[in-house]
Amino acid sequence: RPSSSLPEHLHFCLQEQKHAVLAALRNIQSISEKDEKTPNTDTKRDLESLLNATVQRGEGNSCLVIGPRGSGKTKIVEDVIASLPGRPIIVRLSGYVQRTDRLALREIARQVAKQTEQAFGAELEDDVEEEQNPFDDATAPGPPPLPPSHLPTLISSLPTLGRPTVLVLDAFDLFAEHGRQALLYCLLDTAQSCRAGTDTKGIAIVGVTARVDTLNMLEKRVKSRFSGRMLRTSGPGSNARWQRIARIAFLAPPLHQVDGAKEWKQLWTGAIERFLADKKVEERLSEVFELVRDVRLLCLVLTGLIAALSPKNPYPTAAGLLAGAADQCALPPFPFLNALPYPALCLLIAAMHERTAGNDAVTFEMLHDAFQIQVRTSTAAPVQNRYGGSIGMAFERLVDARIFVPATSTSGGSARQFVRHRCMVEYEHVKRAVEASVRTDLKRWLKMAS
């Protein structure tokens, strides 16, 4: 078993190993398909064939790359684009950014002009004053905004450029929500009318989406111009595959061979095998896999673990993995509960008692009565009990912090002590806050509500 502290002559080996593992984690999508054939392998091959037909033979093509988040859709598309021969024009659009057809058209013109180094879509400069606010709600009631009148002309001119064009539409389903789907209609109509062997260059439309019902969102006239090609991707299909990805990343070979590399390799390999065989490690990796089968989350969890390695602690441990997984968890909704004063904790405990009794909505009057009874029956030092005193101020502060929210709309004539509120804090959160305090009477009172 290696010692906890690393010999000085192996310090550089540790740094090289950290760089290698972190580089592997940054490219974890490729690692997930390194040692076995997956559905993504077929998807990549089919997409390569489709885009090569566009680039080499001038065909017009369209397809959808569909798969859950983190399954490698964008990675596959970018890898295929990087391997295309020649210098095709690549236009990347996002449904999250180009929320209207006019914004998408401007972005197409900007990217094409930059890559061809010639004016393209100069007529769009006349529409500056007519441009919609990109922050306007696209789903607002009323008729959808009309697309620019030159939309069909500009899109149809793409195949006439000196090079083939590939348009990648990320979040394709959001483009389907645009009014009249004019942009999609023009793009797909242009791709359908583009034929190999003519004077025009090819054009390919690649949609990327996580929604499996995207095709049903298309209008009939738009769907009729879509080729119908849908390429599927998927993430790791089993927990064993998930842990194999982690092993491959951990055992990534360093880029540079240095003195002591053989000795370091033996130490590191043995430490990784013991680490992955640890029951706590297996359980936590399984929990992450069951939560979301996104290898990017695995990358985030392992990155913190590897970055924290040092000559004093050169090998990954189960405690480090637990800490890395905890860093990726969502923060509790009310992290300041432990710092609440005595009256506020009493109000929360009273709310837990009312919830146990079946009252999900409570008033300040109900909580105040429960508080008074608790003060009388306990040995706690009395606090001011009037509505304007500390208990009333504590309730107002809890309302301001959104711990208590109104259950119904309030009218101007309702006394504040009779307005019904819902407590947004769960019993476990209140329990942790009470346990952090030093008042045993509060712990006993809360226990009665369980």
Side-chain angles (χ1 to χ4, degrees), residues 327-391:
D327 290 341
Q328 301 305 319
C329 294
L331 294 175
F334 304 103
F336 52 85
L337 291 183
N338 292 352
L340 290 178
Y342 172 77
L345 289 177
C346 288
L347 289 172
L348 291 178
I349 297 174
M352 296 300 104
H353 278 271
E354 294 294 339
R355 183 179 293 175
T356 302
N359 300 322
D360 290 333
V362 296
T363 65
F364 175 68
E365 176 76 15
M366 298 166 60
L367 300 180
H368 183 265
D369 289 345
F371 174 75
Q372 284 186 316
I373 295 173
Q374 168 61 14
V375 170
R376 287 197 301 265
T377 58
S378 70
T379 58
V383 296
Q384 195 172 356
N385 292 331
R386 294 190 302 274
Y387 290 132
S390 61
I391 188 68

Side-chain angles (χ1 to χ4, degrees), residues 201-280:
K201 300 295 182 179
I203 181 171
I205 314 300
V206 181
V208 181
T209 179
R211 290 191 57 168
V212 296
D213 62 339
T214 299
L215 192 60
N216 296 330
M217 299 173 64
L218 300 181
E219 296 180 2
K220 184 176 181 181
R221 65 191 183 99
V222 179
K223 189 185 299 185
S224 65
R225 284 157 176 78
F226 177 59
S227 66
R229 297 187 187 93
M230 292 185 289
L231 310 179
R232 307 281 182 172
T233 62
S234 64
S238 65
N239 185 33
R241 174 65 181 159
W242 184 265
Q243 299 196 23
R244 193 180 309 124
I245 294 172
R247 175 179 276 102
I248 295 174
F250 277 127
L251 298 179
L255 297 178
H256 305 95
Q257 295 297 326
V258 295
D259 294 339
K262 185 176 181 180
E263 178 186 358
W264 165 254
K265 182 178 180 180
Q266 294 177 350
L267 293 174
W268 178 257
T269 302
I272 294 302
E273 294 300 336
R274 285 189 296 273
F275 170 76
L276 295 176
D278 192 318
K279 291 297 182 183
K280 292 182 179 180

